[in-house]
Amino acid sequence: MNTAWKVAGAAFLAFSIFVVAEAFKYGFLDEYGPGAGFFAVLIGILMGGLSLALVVKVTFFGVPEEKLASVLPRGQEASRVLLVLGGIIGVVLFIQPLGFRLTMLAFLIYMLVSLGARRMWVVAALSLGGSFGTYHVFYHWLRMPLPIGYLVGF
Amino acid sequence: MEAMNLWLGGLQVALRPENVFFAFIGCVLGTWIGVLPGIGPAAGTAILIPITFGLDPVPAIMMLCAIYYGSQYGGTITSILVNVPGESSSVVTCFDGYPMAMQGRAGTALGIAAIGSFVGGTISTIGVMIVALPLARLALKFGPPEIFALVLVGFTMIVGLTGKRLIPALLMMCFGLILALVGQDPVRGEPRFAFDTVELYDGLDFVPVVMGLFGISEVILNIEQPAGEVIKTKLSSLIPSKEEWKAASGAVARGTALGFFMGLVPGISSVIPTFVSYVVEKAVAKQPERFGHGAIEGVAGPETANNAYSQSAMIPLLTLGLPGSPTLAVIMGAFLINGITPGPLLFRDRPDLVWGLIASFYVGNVILLILNLPLVGLWARLLEIPYQYLYSGVLLFCFVGAYSVRQSTFDLGVAVLFGVLGYILRKLDWPMAPIILALVLGPMAEKALRTSLEMSGGDFSIFVSRPISAVLLVGCLLILVGAALHEHLRRWLTGHTPTPPNAA
């Protein structure tokens, strides 16, 4: 956990340096007063200072009241996390070309079966209801457009 | 008298059939969220925001607020029946509620919790009526320096929300402020941090960020470490005896007062009023040794305090535009999505909305009493939904919510990205609420700061030379001191509460 906090602190330190460098391009102060980058510079410097303080504190004093043994999941836990992430990323990639209904149908079947649902009629019913049913409710009742797909047109 | 007339006008708005219907839907959904462990009120409210997109602002906001205070009712059910708090403010109810259930008095515990919640919520709403208008009028005297100082108070509240993780909390606050800067400069209109990406010219939308941080990350975390077997429950009569009524009535009165006044202070977590109420009841009881073994006051007091708090915590949000908790920050985001800015001008420009909302608290309390007494058995059955179905459904809602804001797959990607980030932050045990608070308050803070400096020609003393601003800055210091003492207070309180009983 110490290492995880140090890595996270270092990442935010790098991010804050990037923010400050980028913010100066937008202008800090000019004849009209504070520029577009004024607030970003201040916050970036503050964030950099806090990140550095965090890294130093964890290095010399450790993580306060450590609760979790490890940030990275292992074994079955890692498999489950990757499974969910795979499904989620798949939705982002396919929702426009395939449309909401087909993408969600595939996603729900994938998730339910992968997470251990075994009664196929329940999986089928929930997947159809969740995909086509949700589309119907949002598109026709709530007047909220959802992707219809341009490869399949469905 | 003026407040009463305005409130009566608001009651007419709240009692319109469509508004009652959506308040009812909000109460049902809120109770459901409160019942289900693993989905907190902030995440649940965020996930359900998209349902309100097709509605007018008045029923939309009423529904979301009903979800918020409905979740306070719902969390009680699982605390009493299975010793699993549905959300954090129901933890204390486990101490005596579950032992009452073990003694065959689950129905009595649920009944007194529902009735106490109704009394506390209703009386607290009267307090909201009395306090809201004078506070809103005071806030109309605020200029940019006062607004910046007020937002600074809001940011120092973040310290109060986080407890031990001070540096990570401040870091997350800064991160949220940077996210709020993406898009167009509010003063000069120049694009910032857009990197020639068209979708970023309008900035990062609040909904996808919240969907990811609270919704998607919650699901990933719960799927990584799924709960065990499905929870089964049993129930008995709901009506307390005459002696139990007598014992509980004092606890309800004290809980109402405690919860109402604590809700007025931004930054106090909903857990604190419940703990304070429990300690007070134990201190005034003639037989304090009963606590931890099924004392009805141990359920009545904290549950009343919890719901009184949830109503009065709306006052800083409505009058000053300051959300006092992560859930209220989400609700503030919902206000902004509907084109409504919470704050003193809301009382002047949209009295129908704000007084209608305050009046809807009464309506919501009645609906929740009805839902939580005869239908409690139904709510208990929700615990039997296997997690595969539940979390797949939550993800579906997150996708719809993230996409439907701007009909953009980019926002879907943003939600997924923040979902992964939220998952990592939870594993690090870093708080996410400061990101949301900063995202909501950041634009206001920047505009107020830069306008103040333009007024003063770059002189920062403008913030201390104006009396209201100076007082607010002193308030920031007091909040910081309070936060430092908060942890000691929490430890003292938990030292005076019994160890929760083991589940059967």
Side-chain angles (χ1 to χ4, degrees):
Chain A
M1 182 61 93
N2 278 4
T3 307
W5 276 47
K6 278 190 271 190
V7 168
F12 275 101
L13 179 61
F15 179 67
S16 59
I17 293 169
F18 166 76
V19 164
V20 172
E22 192 67 26
F24 268 115
K25 294 180 193 171
Y26 305 128
F28 185 65
L29 279 172
D30 56 31
E31 64 267 31
Y32 302 112
F38 177 80
F39 200 59
V41 167
L42 294 181
I43 299 301
I45 291 172
L46 178 62
M47 191 162 65
L50 287 167
S51 306
L52 199 57
L54 182 72
V55 171
V56 167
K57 189 180 176 197
V58 172
T59 302
F60 289 103
F61 300 102
V63 174
E65 295 189 37
E66 183 172 327
K67 284 198 298 192
L68 299 172
S70 170
V71 171
L72 290 175
R74 290 188 165 83
Q76 279 207 334
E77 290 177 356
S79 304
R80 282 194 287 267
V81 170
L82 288 172
L83 194 145
V84 175
L85 283 177
I88 289 171
I89 291 167
V91 167
V92 176
L93 291 175
F94 292 110
I95 197 166
Q96 281 293 358
L98 293 183
F100 178 87
R101 285 170 286 189
L102 286 182
T103 307
M104 282 301 140
L105 180 66
F107 172 75
L108 288 171
I109 292 172
Y110 166 79
M111 285 293 296
L112 292 172
V113 172
S114 303
L115 293 176
R118 287 292 170 255
R119 286 186 281 185
M120 285 298 121
W121 68 269
V122 174
V123 169
L126 287 176
S127 302
L128 278 169
S131 54
F132 284 75
T134 303
Y135 181 89
H136 188 84
V137 167
F138 277 84
Y139 196 88
H140 296 288
W141 292 359
L142 297 177
R143 301 280 184 226
M144 196 171 309
L146 292 170
I148 57 172
Y150 51 80
L151 280 183
V152 182
F154 188 37
Chain B
M1 194 63 193
E2 184 188 0
M4 178 58 78
N5 289 336
L6 288 165
W7 178 80
L8 285 171
L11 192 61
Q12 281 186 312
V13 173
L15 289 177
R16 284 182 199 151
E18 66 273 20
N19 292 336
V20 173
F21 173 72
F22 285 110
F24 173 78
I25 297 293
C27 290
V28 169
L29 292 172
T31 306
W32 176 54
I33 287 164
V35 165
L36 292 170
I39 299 180
T45 308
I47 289 165
L48 292 169
I49 284 176
I51 293 177
T52 67
F53 284 167
L55 305 177
D56 289 335
V58 173
I61 299 297
M62 283 187 188
M63 183 166 140
L64 288 170
C65 290
I67 291 171
Y68 162 60
Y69 51 77
S71 66
Q72 310 297 319
Y73 275 76
T76 307
I77 296 172
T78 53
S79 294
I80 290 171
L81 294 180
V82 290
N83 201 31
V84 175
E87 31 93 30
S88 57
S89 55
S90 303
V91 166
V92 173
T93 308
C94 292
F95 298 164
D96 280 274
Y98 187 67
M100 285 181 72
M102 291 295 99
Q103 295 159 14
R105 296 157 63 213
T108 306
L110 287 166
I112 202 66
I115 294 165
S117 297
F118 173 74
V119 171
T122 303
I123 295 175
S124 185
T125 304
I126 295 173
V128 171
M129 274 168 57
I130 295 167
V131 169
L133 203 54
L135 199 53
R137 285 195 175 130
L138 174 66
L140 280 172
K141 295 180 183 167
F142 288 10
E146 286 77 19
I147 291 172
F148 179 73
L150 187 65
V151 176
L152 213 58
V153 168
F155 287 145
T156 53
M157 277 165 17
I158 289 168
V159 172
L161 283 171
T162 58
K164 301 182 283 276
R165 306 275 189 249
L166 179 58
I167 296 179
L170 292 170
L171 203 49
M172 293 298 97
M173 181 193 75
C174 291
F175 181 60
L177 286 170
I178 297 297
L179 294 178
L181 297 177
V182 175
Q184 278 196 331
D185 172 19
V187 177
R188 300 192 183 180
E190 299 166 19
R192 290 181 303 195
F193 301 108
F195 308 110
D196 296 327
T197 305
V198 170
E199 290 89 350
L200 287 177
Y201 282 133
D202 283 334
L204 285 170
D205 197 273
F206 171 80
V207 172
V209 173
V210 167
M211 289 288 162
L213 280 178
F214 284 99
I216 294 178
S217 69
E218 184 93 45
V219 171
I220 297 174
L221 201 62
N222 280 287
I223 287 176
E224 180 195 8
Q225 294 163 4
E229 59 185 42
V230 159
I231 299 169
K232 297 209 181 283
T233 64
K234 55 182 180 179
L235 210 60
S236 61
S237 163
L238 296 170
I239 308 298
S241 67
K242 204 172 165 184
E243 293 74 27
E244 285 167 335
W245 276 119
K246 200 176 161 190
S249 56
V252 168
R254 287 182 288 271
T256 300
L258 274 170
F260 175 75
F261 286 109
M262 287 194 165
L264 294 178
V265 182
I268 288 188
S269 155
S270 58
V271 177
I272 295 293
T274 59
F275 268 93
V276 172
S277 173
Y278 190 88
V279 169
V280 165
E281 292 311 314
K282 195 175 173 186
V284 304
K286 288 178 187 159
Q287 295 170 304
E289 62 276 6
R290 294 179 299 114
F291 282 72
H293 304 284
I296 197 165
E297 303 95 306
V299 173
E303 282 301 315
T304 307
N306 186 16
N307 282 277
Y309 162 89
S310 67
Q311 311 283 326
S312 66
M314 294 293 292
I315 293 176
L317 174 65
L318 293 175
T319 59
L320 303 173
L322 273 187
S325 69
T327 311
L328 288 172
V330 173
I331 290 177
M332 182 169 176
F335 269 93
L336 297 171
I337 288 166
N338 282 278
I340 297 161
T341 306
L345 294 178
L346 192 64
F347 283 78
R348 187 193 69 187
D349 298 337
R350 291 299 306 266
D352 60 320
L353 170 68
V354 71
W355 289 105
L357 181 62
I358 293 172
S360 76
F361 293 166
Y362 283 108
V363 176
N365 275 311
V366 171
I367 293 171
L368 283 165
L369 187 67
I370 294 167
L371 282 175
N372 279 272
L373 284 178
L375 298 181
V376 68
L378 180 65
W379 297 120
R381 294 293 298 273
L382 289 177
L383 292 169
E384 299 175 19
I385 298 176
Y387 79 96
Q388 303 96 322
Y389 306 127
L390 181 66
Y391 292 126
S392 300
V394 169
L395 282 175
L396 173 67
F397 266 102
C398 288
F399 294 143
V400 173
Y403 179 86
S404 56
V405 178
R406 298 189 285 197
Q407 286 81 53
S408 165
T409 317
F410 181 83
D411 284 338
L412 207 54
V414 167
V416 171
L417 188 66
F418 278 92
V420 173
L421 178 65
Y423 166 74
I424 295 170
L425 291 176
R426 284 170 188 254
K427 293 302 288 281
L428 290 170
D429 201 24
W430 286 13
M432 293 188 302
I435 300 177
I436 300 302
L437 282 163
L439 192 59
V440 170
L441 295 177
M444 200 189 309
E446 184 191 14
K447 195 170 177 187
L449 173 67
R450 288 168 66 183
T451 307
S452 303
L453 291 175
E454 282 173 10
M455 283 165 60
S456 66
D459 186 0
F460 277 87
S461 67
I462 189 172
F463 296 107
V464 294
S465 60
R466 292 162 71 113
I468 296 177
S469 172
V471 166
L472 288 170
L473 289 176
V474 169
C476 287
L477 282 172
L478 290 174
I479 291 173
L480 285 169
V481 169
L485 296 175
H486 175 285
E487 181 56 21
H488 298 287
L489 175 66
R490 189 190 68 81
R491 284 187 194 149
W492 182 83
L493 287 172
T494 51
H496 282 72
T497 52
T499 306
N502 294 326

